[in-house]
Amino acid sequence: MNIYQEIARRLGFTERAVEATIGLLDQGATIPFISRYRKEHTGSLDEVEIRDISTLYEYFTELQKRKEYILGVIEAAGALTDELRSRIDEATEANVLEDIYLPFKPKRRTRATVARERGLEPLAKMIMAGNSPSIAKAAARFVTGEVTDAEAAIAGAKDIIAEWVSEHSRARDTIRRKMQRIGTISCKIVKGKDEEAQNYRNYDGFSRPLRKVSSHQYLAMRRGEREGLLRVGIDIPADEALEAIDRMFVKKEASPESAAIIRDAVADGYKRLLLPSIENEIAAEWKKKADEEAITLFADNLRQLLLSPPLGRKRVLGVDPGFRTGCKLVCLDEQGNLLHFDVIYPCPPRNERVTSMRKVANLVEAYKIDAIAVGNGTASRETEEFLKRLSYPRDVKIIVVSEAGASVYSASDVAREEFPDRDVTVRGAVSIGRRLIDPLAELVKIDPKSIGVGQYQHDVDQNALKDSLDYTVMSCVNSVGVNVNTASKQLLAYVAGIGPQLARNIVAYRAEHGDFASRESLKAVPRLGEKAFQQAAGFLRIAGASNPLDNSAVHPESYDTVYRMASDLGVDINTLIRNEALIDKIDLSRYISDSVGLPTLTDIADELRRPGLDPRAEIAELEFDPTITTIEDLRPGMELNGIVNNITAFGAFVDIGVHESGLVHISQMADRRVSAPSDVVRLHQHVRVRVLDVDLSRRRISLSMKDIK
């Protein structure tokens, strides 16, 4: 098998692009670097496409290692033939390879093993040949002290045939394909568990074609099974399956006696060995698919959250709302440094509104506050309404921000290191305030799994989830770029080529020597060698550097090209940057070389027009209906403003300002069929919704986005 060809075939890329991409990955290049600065090599593949190549390359590399092991085992057993070697070499799927290996795989002691030990394999072969005039007479010759009579001999031979059936690669593939195509998944509550399984009552008596089961349904059923509350099974019509397998093992010329014995053995092998084996395999396959869908959804939500619009370098009052414990206040400077902290009690039970008003107004004036960030948790709506009624000595924005994961951050080692002398309430309020200034810079300090924008994240493959979320964070960080003189070590660690240790070295060097004056000065950081510099430099920004290119996405390896462009136009770099008229005069084809192609030159021209442009949108404020503050205020038919705070496979949850998020089911998202909620909405999108139903007993709100005025 040619790995490059197989990857190219599966993904629809050229073999040359695949080979070049894998070559760069093998050299230690990162995906963000390859997609941004090596477009000529890959044919301008984007990050997603490069990651797909990387994933398949890892899969085939592991498959090749498995092939080598299997060949060694079979060869050591003296059973390796040219035909078998060819089948193994041509296998491109792990299950096909394992089917080939199964007959040679060391086994635990089985009924077939015992029958072989008693010398009954020749009888099994005789039965399979189908030409013996009398199986009973032939079986009598195998009677021994361990085999009591001909009937026992035939029974042992059937055990051997049953195992052959279960290990036959074509039989396995036939059942596998049938189960994938027409398999039905069934589910019911375990007897005596009705009370405990209330959350799964929708799945009691559930039966549906496997291919029509959604990822969230499959994960829910498997969770219930794991908790011992549900019994789940996958099956296909037995008659259809047995008919297909019988044709493989019962020869047309077989005697009626042989045919009957073989059919019995096939039925036994199918029910006892083959079906459970394929069911487990298909269950694992569907679990993997469901995991991938759930992880993709989680990663998409996380990307949207990380790329939420930043307020920018403004002074912020962060507010962590609360009733009994009060609202924790923190004043932050433009870099998010803590200047002051306090507590107010504007809400029940204390209702100290006058004192709270005076304190907030004084803090806004004293610390020149530009905006107030209000966490969207408990007492958020009441606190927001209180703050909006105040009269401020300066123009102040009041914006509600997601506080998902803030409590995790406040108790983390990162928070303790940043604020060793502050308690968790102060740290949490700081995190809320910083999320308004720059959500990406703050959220990278939290384990992505704890941010809470996923679905069934505890049920999926945890290693795959971590890999996907870590990659998503890295992708977001590099797409935005990082100010190396203000970034935390947590943020720097996600820059391509850096990692945790180099991030610590950069921060330590910055603390000792002061701000970096240029990208070139980064090379003085201990252990930051040429390779790391190559990978990272284009994503690091030096604000205020003497060379303006150091604060852009132009890579240092292309500086000479830009200098030539400016020189050919008779201007300096500072004159060229942001000068649309001059940039439009550049004939990019003049600068094509063996190392620099048109894709890179086009990127350079775009960057010169808008150097260091932040790809994130501008922040927007949302006004909730001031007359609707609790779920009890809701009535069917009401149309309200809301903000999307989570997206699942079955719909989107929308905060409408009543402490409980409402669900817009996928069927209520548009006046057309919607394949995925993410096709219609984005995380933190402002939407207009209509109330369909309110279930006060279960605190559930059903919403619609259809036919909104």
Side-chain angles (χ1 to χ4, degrees):
M1 178 185 68
N2 183 308
I3 291 179
Y4 300 142
Q5 286 180 354
E6 185 62 23
I7 293 175
R9 183 189 67 80
R10 291 195 184 200
L11 299 178
F13 304 148
T14 66
E15 188 177 341
R16 177 182 174 278
V18 170
E19 188 170 357
T21 301
I22 291 173
L24 288 166
L25 291 168
D26 283 344
Q27 292 166 22
T30 61
I31 292 175
F33 175 80
I34 295 171
S35 66
R36 183 69 174 81
Y37 298 111
R38 290 296 180 266
K39 292 181 177 178
E40 289 82 0
H41 293 70
T42 68
S44 297
L45 296 178
D46 62 27
E47 279 193 41
V48 174
E49 293 167 332
I50 293 169
R51 191 156 191 254
D52 287 343
I53 290 174
S54 176
T55 300
L56 272 180
Y57 181 54
E58 289 176 12
Y59 170 77
F60 284 125
T61 299
E62 290 303 312
L63 189 68
Q64 189 60 39
K65 290 179 182 176
R66 181 65 174 163
K67 286 180 180 182
E68 291 168 4
Y69 170 79
I70 288 172
L71 284 168
V73 171
I74 297 175
E75 188 170 29
L80 186 60
T81 63
D82 290 343
E83 187 269 339
L84 195 54
R85 183 186 293 275
S86 178
R87 287 177 63 201
I88 290 172
D89 182 60
E90 291 172 5
T92 59
E93 299 291 347
N95 56 15
V96 173
L97 180 62
E98 295 303 324
D99 283 352
I100 297 170
Y101 177 45
L102 191 56
F104 308 96
K105 195 173 185 177
K107 302 178 180 65
R108 59 182 177 81
R109 190 172 174 81
T110 65
R111 283 162 49 175
T113 306
V114 174
R116 287 192 185 92
E117 291 172 353
R118 292 174 177 174
L120 296 173
E121 189 163 15
L123 177 59
K125 290 179 178 179
M126 190 184 304
I127 294 170
M128 289 295 291
N131 52 16
S132 176
S134 173
I135 299 298
K137 287 183 180 179
R141 299 200 301 269
F142 291 87
V143 174
T144 64
E146 293 179 312
V147 181
T148 56
D149 52 30
E151 188 175 331
I154 292 172
K158 286 165 67 174
D159 287 339
I160 295 172
I161 295 171
E163 190 168 272
W164 286 343
V165 170
S166 72
E167 294 177 348
H168 192 276
S169 60
R170 192 153 65 91
R172 293 181 66 82
D173 193 53
T174 296
I175 301 305
R176 180 184 294 118
R177 290 177 185 277
K178 283 186 178 295
M179 195 168 282
Q180 290 169 335
R181 192 176 70 255
I182 62 170
T184 298
I185 186 167
S186 302
C187 182
K188 61 181 180 180
I189 293 176
V190 173
K191 189 175 181 180
K193 300 281 188 176
D194 297 296
E195 200 63 39
E196 298 170 65
Q198 280 301 302
N199 289 338
Y200 297 105
R201 63 180 183 271
N202 290 343
Y203 294 102
D204 191 23
F206 182 95
S207 181
R208 186 170 297 177
L210 182 60
R211 56 189 173 82
K212 292 186 177 181
V213 171
S214 65
S215 62
H216 69 271
Q217 289 174 323
Y218 191 85
L219 290 172
M221 285 186 280
R222 291 302 178 186
R223 175 192 285 181
E225 181 183 48
R226 193 170 58 253
E227 293 173 353
L229 301 175
L230 297 179
R231 196 177 309 283
V232 183
I234 304 172
D235 204 357
I236 56 176
D239 291 345
E240 186 176 333
L242 286 172
E243 183 181 350
I245 302 176
D246 279 345
R247 290 196 296 266
M248 298 178 196
F249 294 95
V250 182
K251 296 180 179 180
K252 291 181 180 179
E253 63 273 16
S255 67
E257 185 183 16
S258 294
I261 293 172
I262 295 169
R263 287 193 180 93
D264 283 349
V266 167
D268 175 52
Y270 170 76
K271 184 177 180 180
R272 180 168 57 86
L273 302 172
L274 180 53
L275 181 62
S277 174
I278 298 299
E279 181 184 356
N280 289 338
E281 182 186 305
I282 295 298
E285 179 185 325
W286 247 253
K287 172 65 164 59
K288 184 179 179 182
K289 287 180 181 178
D291 282 2
E292 288 172 353
E293 289 185 27
I295 290 170
T296 297
L297 181 63
F298 197 153
D300 287 346
N301 287 352
L302 177 63
R303 181 180 296 276
Q304 294 171 39
L305 184 62
L306 293 174
L307 296 180
S308 298
L311 180 66
R313 296 167 69 85
K314 304 288 185 181
R315 292 197 162 211
V316 167
L317 177 68
V319 183
D320 185 1
F323 288 113
R324 182 181 55 81
T325 57
C327 300
K328 279 65 68 179
L329 310 179
V330 293
C331 298
L332 307 177
D333 68 13
E334 295 86 347
Q335 284 77 39
N337 297 313
L338 177 62
L339 303 175
H340 178 80
F341 67 92
D342 215 323
V343 183
I344 57 173
Y345 298 89
C347 302
R350 293 176 60 164
N351 288 314
E352 298 176 359
R353 298 180 70 82
V354 174
T355 302
S356 299
M357 291 168 64
R358 188 180 303 116
K359 188 174 288 188
V360 170
N362 289 340
L363 291 176
V364 168
E365 176 64 24
Y367 293 98
K368 310 301 180 188
I369 297 299
D370 299 301
I372 300 177
V374 183
N376 67 344
T378 303
S380 173
R381 184 68 187 279
E382 292 80 1
T383 303
E384 180 193 10
E385 290 300 318
F386 162 75
L387 292 169
K388 284 185 174 180
R389 290 176 182 173
L390 303 189
S391 177
Y392 297 99
R394 52 194 287 116
D395 184 29
V396 175
K397 294 178 181 290
I398 299 172
I399 301 172
V400 176
V401 300
S402 169
E403 60 180 57
S407 60
V408 175
Y409 162 79
S410 65
S412 69
D413 292 340
V414 174
R416 282 193 291 271
E417 184 180 335
E418 286 191 290
F419 303 104
D421 301 324
R422 306 300 181 201
D423 67 20
V424 293
T425 61
V426 173
R427 297 170 189 163
V430 169
S431 182
I432 289 169
R434 285 176 171 176
R435 291 172 190 214
L436 182 58
I437 297 172
D438 189 340
L440 177 60
E442 186 62 20
L443 290 170
V444 295
K445 300 173 184 177
I446 304 170
D447 180 351
K449 288 191 296 184
S450 302
I451 294 178
V453 290
Q455 176 188 11
Y456 294 102
Q457 59 259 41
H458 301 296
D459 298 290
V460 302
D461 183 311
Q462 294 300 294
N463 290 331
L465 177 63
K466 183 180 186 307
D467 288 346
S468 178
L469 299 186
D470 285 348
Y471 170 76
T472 299
V473 178
M474 181 179 72
S475 174
C476 292
V477 168
N478 288 285
S479 70
V480 171
V482 172
N483 184 331
V484 74
N485 286 324
T486 60
S488 66
K489 62 186 178 184
Q490 290 80 21
L491 185 60
L492 285 167
Y494 283 105
V495 173
I498 298 296
Q501 184 56 58
L502 272 181
R504 285 191 288 269
N505 292 355
I506 291 171
V507 171
Y509 188 91
R510 187 177 71 196
E512 182 178 352
H513 299 279
D515 286 355
F516 293 96
S518 66
R519 280 172 168 166
E520 190 66 24
S521 63
L522 284 162
K523 292 181 178 179
V525 173
R527 302 185 69 179
L528 201 158
E530 286 294 333
K531 188 68 179 180
F533 181 81
Q534 179 200 52
Q535 297 297 307
F539 306 108
L540 297 173
R541 308 283 186 267
I542 311 289
S546 58
N547 185 341
L549 296 178
D550 281 349
N551 196 31
S552 75
V554 177
H555 197 282
E557 66 188 12
S558 295
Y559 283 8
D560 285 345
T561 300
V562 181
Y563 297 151
R564 285 174 51 212
M565 290 176 176
S567 177
D568 290 346
L569 291 168
V571 298
D572 61 19
I573 294 294
N574 287 296
T575 304
L576 177 60
I577 288 177
R578 294 189 178 87
N579 191 322
E580 292 274 357
L582 283 175
I583 295 167
D584 287 342
K585 291 181 180 179
I586 299 172
D587 179 4
L588 297 180
S589 64
R590 291 182 56 194
Y591 304 96
I592 295 174
S593 66
D594 291 340
S595 58
V596 180
L598 190 59
T600 293
L601 292 168
T602 301
D603 284 347
I604 290 172
D606 289 342
E607 188 64 21
L608 291 176
R609 288 185 174 92
R610 297 176 294 277
L613 178 68
D614 194 322
R616 295 172 289 184
E618 292 187 6
I619 200 163
E621 298 178 61
L622 176 75
E623 292 283 345
F624 288 125
D625 188 323
T627 65
I628 307 298
T629 58
T630 69
I631 190 172
E632 286 78 13
D633 296 330
L634 296 175
R635 297 290 182 273
M638 285 181 170
E639 291 189 6
L640 304 167
N641 290 332
I643 183 168
V644 178
N645 59 12
N646 199 8
I647 301 172
T648 69
F650 53 83
F653 287 93
V654 177
D655 181 0
I656 53 176
V658 297
H659 305 300
E660 309 284 348
S661 292
L663 172 65
V664 181
H665 190 268
I666 191 170
S667 63
Q668 292 294 326
M669 302 195 83
D671 295 316
R672 57 180 172 81
R673 185 182 181 279
V674 176
S675 299
S678 56
D679 293 340
V680 178
V681 296
R682 308 288 289 173
L683 206 64
H684 287 178
Q685 179 180 335
H686 295 177
V687 294
R688 188 81 174 161
V689 296
R690 184 175 65 258
V691 179
L692 292 179
D693 185 57
V694 182
D695 185 339
L696 292 176
S697 64
R698 294 198 291 175
R699 312 295 289 181
R700 291 185 178 181
I701 306 164
S702 297
L703 304 172
S704 175
M705 291 170 57
K706 289 183 175 181
D707 303 319
I708 299 296
K709 297 174 184 176

